[in-house]
Amino acid sequence: MTDEKLAHGISDKPAGDVANPDVETGQSDEGLKRELHSRHLQFIAIGAALGTGLFLGIGGALSKAGPGSLFISFLFLGSVVYSIMTALGEMASYIPVTGAFTVYASRFIDPTLGFAMGWIYWFSWVITIGLELTASGLIIQYWTESVSIGVWIAIFWVVFTAAQFLPTFVFGEMEAYLSSIKVITIIGFVIFGICVNAGVGDQGYIGFKYWREPGAFAEYMVDGAIGKFVGFWTVLVTAGFSFQGTELVVVGAGETANPRTAIPSAIRWTFWAVFLLFNCTVFFVGINVPYDNPDLQNGSTNASASPLVIVAKLAGIQALPSIINAVLLTAVLSAANSDIYSSSRILVAMAGEGHAPAFFSRTNRYGTPYWAVACCSAFGLLAFLNLSNNGTVVFNWLLNITAVAGFISWALINLCHIRFMRVLKYQNIPRDELPYKAPFQPYLSWFGFFFNVLILLTNGFTVFIDWDTSTF
């Protein structure tokens, strides 16, 4: 690829210059309106990241690997996510376009890669809409099973689809409130976890008792040190899936007012908020719940399987499950809300690049891309597949297909940033003049790229230890 081709799509004018079509401050080329602020971007990403993976998923991960492996894996994946977020911050603050990294892949690497990346990433999020809607119905069954899950799927689908046709600012405010509930809950749990560990509750003072017995590192599938490593690497993959969604902070860049300052601020706050919330939760779950607790793998999809509830149960506090269940409901609905928004904006970006039909970029008087929203929301109806046994199998296949899309996107974000820096060098644009300068470059992007590819290639490796054709 020639340097001239590499340089395609980047201007030597800084963000905020009206001569640069990517960074105009009024209305974007696609007809989208710049009504989102930094806090909206933060809550969109936080809403997508803080979902059932944190409230439910870490329970199974704890039972497989133990608290030590779980905590280390989340710390390590946090460093990988840091490489991704800082790379995005540097690119998106200079070229704040809707869809962000799906556009960068076309501009800095190759249009065919941008085409593939865009559709893979879009598919992963539209399928996830159905997952979140299904989860909402299952969570409500904790209180009552007299109403079919299909009824709740239909109700929430209508509500959140309708909300997407309102002005973007309304969506941003809605997501801010929904995500705030989850953030407050996690902060409250951390305080509660400190109190329980210090001796409040039936167990008395706990300290690091469970790190000594049954231990900090669990053996998984294989005995000995190898089994502990297998547990760690398995949970590393789980941690990666839990962090996915943080990159959505830049998907709405084309609808952000004053992107030159809003995007760097949103990048920093989103990363540190998600990183601290995740790791504090994982740490206090790990010191307050032994990894061999049978409730960690009871197969439930409601509050009874949440490690946060198990902490309260062990402490003898009975009122918390219903509260956590309500927060879980908020979590999945917030995630569904973010999924519809993000997938529709990715579709708009692909339409602008010529990778999707042009009519998907049409907007209503509020600046909402109504065709893109309608198309993406329609995929949420796949949730009704879960009402039949055969349909559930098909739906799970679709989810498994999309499971690796996040790691593919993360690896390509790092690669796009590496190429972006090469373009800057070719055009003699000092990185010091960018609105945001990513630290430790280019080493940090290479670090993130390497481990994203490694995790992607080793994902699901346990199938070779205990062969299962259906999961392979």
Side-chain angles (χ1 to χ4, degrees), residues 37-272:
H37 301 290
S38 178
R39 65 185 180 89
H40 294 139
L41 297 179
Q42 296 168 35
F43 282 118
I44 289 171
I46 290 173
L50 300 182
T52 53
L54 177 64
F55 290 99
L56 291 176
I58 61 173
L62 176 62
S63 67
K64 291 177 182 177
S69 291
L70 182 65
F71 186 57
I72 293 172
S73 67
F74 271 81
L75 285 176
F76 178 75
L77 253 296
S79 66
V80 175
V81 172
Y82 182 71
S83 75
I84 297 160
M85 297 293 282
T86 54
L88 275 176
E90 186 165 291
M91 293 186 291
S93 60
Y94 192 82
I95 311 177
V97 291
T98 298
F101 45 87
T102 59
V103 176
Y104 304 150
S106 294
R107 297 191 180 191
F108 302 138
I109 303 178
D110 193 271
T112 55
L113 183 62
F115 176 89
M117 180 182 180
W119 282 109
I120 289 173
Y121 196 70
W122 172 83
F123 182 73
S124 70
W125 284 111
V126 293
I127 295 300
T128 307
I129 297 170
L131 170 66
E132 305 295 358
L133 292 175
T134 301
S136 67
L138 293 172
I139 289 170
I140 291 177
Q141 284 194 330
Y142 177 80
W143 293 303
T144 177
E145 296 184 2
S146 60
V147 181
S148 170
I149 292 176
V151 173
W152 300 114
I153 291 174
I155 291 174
F156 292 130
W157 181 84
V158 170
V159 170
F160 286 104
T161 298
Q164 293 291 329
F165 287 96
L166 298 174
T168 305
F169 180 80
V170 175
F171 160 78
E173 289 296 309
M174 180 188 300
E175 193 58 31
Y177 286 118
L178 290 174
S179 297
S180 295
I181 295 174
K182 293 187 284 187
V183 172
I184 292 171
T185 300
I186 294 174
I187 294 174
F189 169 76
V190 170
I191 297 172
F192 175 70
I194 294 173
C195 295
V196 170
N197 192 264
V200 175
D202 295 345
Q203 298 182 93
Y205 175 73
I206 299 174
F208 284 87
K209 176 176 68 175
Y210 296 133
W211 284 48
R212 294 187 295 270
E213 181 62 40
F217 301 93
E219 299 173 355
Y220 182 60
M221 303 186 76
V222 181
D223 294 333
I226 295 178
K228 293 179 180 180
F229 177 78
V230 170
F232 165 75
W233 198 259
T234 301
V235 173
L236 192 67
V237 175
T238 302
F241 288 138
S242 298
F243 273 110
Q244 286 174 13
T246 52
E247 71 281 355
L248 293 178
V249 69
V250 299
V251 168
E255 297 174 275
T256 305
N258 194 15
R260 184 184 181 95
T261 56
I263 291 176
S265 174
I267 289 284
R268 285 190 291 266
W269 279 101
T270 299
F271 169 75
W272 288 113

Side-chain angles (χ1 to χ4, degrees), residues 254-429:
E255 297 174 275
T256 305
N258 194 15
R260 184 184 181 95
T261 56
I263 291 176
S265 174
I267 289 284
R268 285 190 291 266
W269 279 101
T270 299
F271 169 75
W272 288 113
V274 172
F275 180 80
L276 291 174
L277 290 172
F278 265 85
N279 283 288
C280 286
T281 303
V282 166
F283 177 76
F284 284 105
V285 165
I287 63 175
N288 289 319
V289 180
Y291 71 75
D292 57 357
N293 187 294
D295 289 336
L296 290 173
Q297 288 190 320
N298 65 10
S300 177
T301 55
N302 56 42
S304 62
S306 173
L308 281 66
V309 171
I310 295 173
V311 172
K313 181 180 177 181
L314 293 175
I317 299 174
Q318 304 300 323
L320 199 59
S322 289
I323 298 175
I324 294 297
N325 206 57
V327 174
L328 281 174
L329 181 60
T330 303
V332 298
L333 294 179
S334 171
N337 198 31
S338 290
D339 294 347
I340 298 173
Y341 171 82
S342 301
S343 58
S344 65
R345 271 43 178 193
I346 292 167
L347 195 55
V348 169
M350 290 193 293
E353 292 287 306
H355 297 159
F359 69 85
F360 282 125
S361 62
R362 295 177 185 172
T363 59
N364 61 18
R365 61 193 177 97
Y366 299 123
T368 300
Y370 53 91
W371 281 113
V373 168
C375 174
C376 296
S377 180
F379 277 82
L381 297 175
L382 289 174
F384 287 106
L385 286 172
N386 289 285
L387 299 181
S388 68
N389 292 332
N390 292 334
T392 300
V393 173
V394 174
F395 189 71
N396 287 333
W397 285 348
L398 294 174
L399 287 177
N400 290 334
I401 292 172
T402 65
V404 297
F407 285 110
I408 294 174
S409 299
W410 282 2
L412 290 177
I413 288 170
N414 287 128
L415 186 59
C416 285
H417 186 244
I418 293 168
R419 304 291 279 184
F420 173 76
M421 290 186 288
R422 182 177 173 184
V423 173
L424 292 177
K425 184 177 180 180
Y426 172 79
Q427 293 196 349
N428 295 318
I429 302 175

